[in-house]
Amino acid sequence: DAGVTQSPTHLIKTRGQQVTLRCSPISGHKSVSWYQQVLGQGPQFIFQYYEKEERGRGNFPDRFSARQFPNYSSELNVNALLLGDSALYLCASSLFLAGGIDEQFFGPGTRLTVL
Amino acid sequence: AQSVTQLGSHVSVSEGALVLLRCNYSSSVPPYLFWYVQYPNQGLQLLLKYTSAATLVKGINGFEAEFKKSETSFHLTKPSAHMSDAAEYFCAVSEGTGRRALTFGSGTRLQVQP
């Protein structure tokens, strides 16, 4: 079975531009989460979506937005890019079981460089 | 609010030596705890998870971790390091059914010397 896939692998943008990152979850997983990992730090939670609805949001500015599609894939959008947005963006999928642990499976990430 | 502290940003051991990576957490509710490994230019791979079923948790690649509530710790160990264990290790906490997002520590880079 395929794992979580993300595209593109690498991306270079300039300040002020907008970027869209894409994620396809593991088959059968209905929840997708996004994390930002700045070099030398641990991942930080951005969003979680389940059944196309936002179920959680981290402490990120409104320049960050996301959505989930009927096939459970997801896009993360970042507007008005800043140099500090340079990071590895990780997508994770999970079953989002009621009353249980939500084990998250991570994709390989998209490396965004803002110049 | 939940948080994770990983003591030691870099740990170096000799091949065959004991690996001990430290993690302390804080959580307002009984936590779920995880250890992930990240190899260069890759995503995160789950090593093991604590879900309150047993305090000593065994994971992949010979790693295990012990949940100690009194010490709010979840340290990761491996009896004998292998060169292939060199990677970045992250401890993470989740409050489970409430806030499901993972809160990660800052990571520990493990070097294994021949």
Side-chain angles (χ1 to χ4, degrees):
Chain A
D1 283 341
V4 177
T5 59
Q6 293 185 242
S7 63
T9 305
H10 295 85
L11 204 51
I12 299 175
K13 293 285 188 178
T14 56
R15 281 177 294 175
Q17 285 189 311
Q18 175 264 343
V19 68
T20 298
L21 311 181
R22 295 176 176 83
C23 171
S24 292
I26 292 171
S27 178
H29 286 191
K30 299 182 178 180
S31 178
V32 168
S33 299
W34 288 95
Y35 292 82
Q36 181 197 64
Q37 186 179 17
V38 173
L39 194 62
Q41 297 181 20
Q44 283 200 303
F45 172 70
I46 310 175
F47 288 109
Q48 183 172 34
Y49 277 79
Y50 173 66
E51 291 281 14
K52 296 174 289 181
E53 292 189 2
E54 184 183 301
R55 291 305 189 100
R57 173 187 287 254
N59 188 23
F60 280 81
D62 292 344
R63 299 184 297 107
F64 288 77
S65 63
R67 57 180 175 169
Q68 187 177 31
F69 299 99
N71 67 353
Y72 304 112
S73 67
S74 177
E75 287 183 350
L76 175 70
N77 295 284
V78 187
N79 294 321
L81 285 167
L82 303 174
L83 295 179
D85 296 332
S86 295
L88 180 67
Y89 288 84
L90 295 165
C91 174
S93 75
S94 63
L95 290 168
F96 207 86
L97 297 173
I101 188 170
D102 195 27
E103 183 173 336
Q104 299 190 20
F105 297 81
F106 284 82
T110 293
R111 173 75 61 188
L112 172 64
T113 301
V114 182
L115 302 177
Chain B
Q2 54 194 18
S3 66
V4 173
T5 302
Q6 291 185 242
L7 296 176
S9 58
H10 290 83
V11 170
S12 182
V13 300
S14 299
E15 191 173 19
L18 171 71
V19 175
L20 170 61
L21 304 182
R22 300 178 185 275
C23 171
N24 288 88
Y25 70 92
S26 81
S27 177
S28 56
V29 298
Y32 293 128
L33 293 160
F34 307 80
W35 275 99
Y36 284 87
V37 61
Q38 186 175 38
Y39 297 99
N41 300 313
Q42 293 188 26
L44 301 172
Q45 181 184 8
L46 181 67
L47 280 176
L48 50 80
K49 60 185 183 231
Y50 167 73
T51 62
S52 76
T55 57
L56 183 62
V57 181
K58 295 188 183 296
I60 62 172
N61 302 339
F63 284 94
E64 62 182 38
E66 186 173 8
F67 173 71
K68 292 186 176 181
K69 184 178 179 180
S70 61
E71 299 177 7
T72 60
S73 68
F74 190 57
H75 302 331
L76 182 71
T77 60
K78 182 174 181 178
S80 178
H82 191 273
M83 296 296 290
S84 61
D85 294 328
E88 187 93 21
Y89 292 80
F90 293 96
C91 181
V93 63
S94 168
E95 292 182 1
T97 56
R99 178 177 169 81
R100 292 170 180 257
L102 293 169
T103 299
F104 286 87
S106 55
T108 298
R109 181 165 298 279
L110 176 66
Q111 290 182 311
V112 183
Q113 308 291 341

